[in-house]
Amino acid sequence: MATTSRTLDPDPQAPARPRTAWRRLTLHYVEMVLAMFAGMLVFGGLRALAGLTVAFDAHPGASYLLMATDMAVGMAAWMRLRRHGWACTLEMCAAMYVPAALVPLVWAGVMSGMAFMTAAHVLMMVAMLAVLLRRRREYCH
């Protein structure tokens, strides 16, 4: 009678189970949101201390771009710390700037500054999700 030995350790080259993969993607998304907030707080706070802020009421587009940069730097730092490649990192950071396409609507008076900021945050989250799903294999491990 032949016996087979079974190992308890899963094959590291085997693809992750679907449920585990979705948990990892969700965790990565949450990490990115937290890194964005950290970037906003830290770098936005430093800019404010240095007097390098722009009044949102007067210049919502410029204010948004500065905030997006703060968030992108926070995300990039966290992603590089977690050893993600530059392509993934730059794509995720680029998602922060997608809403800048709405700035001309503010300039034209079609959209208020506050409506722009709300739409920008929603669009930013959707753009991040698109990047995450595009590179889901890289974010699953």
Side-chain angles (χ1 to χ4, degrees):
M1 177 192 282
T3 61
T4 59
S5 77
R6 294 184 185 182
T7 61
L8 296 176
D9 296 331
D11 179 12
Q13 300 300 321
R17 292 186 355 222
R19 183 173 287 163
T20 304
W22 284 108
R23 283 184 187 149
R24 288 180 181 162
L25 284 174
T26 302
L27 176 62
H28 182 75
Y29 191 82
V30 170
E31 285 178 359
M32 292 301 94
V33 172
L34 292 174
M36 286 167 40
F37 282 118
M40 253 188 335
L41 290 172
V42 171
F43 297 110
L46 291 173
R47 275 190 309 96
L49 286 173
L52 300 174
T53 59
V54 175
F56 174 75
D57 294 338
H59 303 285
S63 179
Y64 174 78
L65 288 174
L66 287 171
M67 182 183 66
T69 300
D70 296 338
M71 291 187 289
V73 171
M75 280 190 354
W78 183 251
M79 288 182 73
R80 295 301 295 163
L81 183 70
R82 302 274 287 152
R83 300 185 193 274
H84 289 287
W86 278 110
C88 294
T89 302
L90 294 175
E91 283 181 356
M92 193 61 80
C93 290
M96 300 296 96
Y97 298 98
V98 168
L102 300 176
V103 171
L105 297 176
V106 178
W107 293 338
V110 175
M111 181 181 277
S112 71
M114 198 48 78
F116 161 70
M117 196 56 83
T118 302
H121 281 81
V122 171
L123 184 56
M124 178 192 318
M125 296 300 204
V126 171
M128 285 174 52
L129 182 60
V131 170
L132 183 78
L133 292 175
R134 179 180 181 277
R135 292 194 176 265
R136 64 185 166 270
R137 286 187 183 186
E138 295 175 43
Y139 293 127
C140 280
H141 38 330

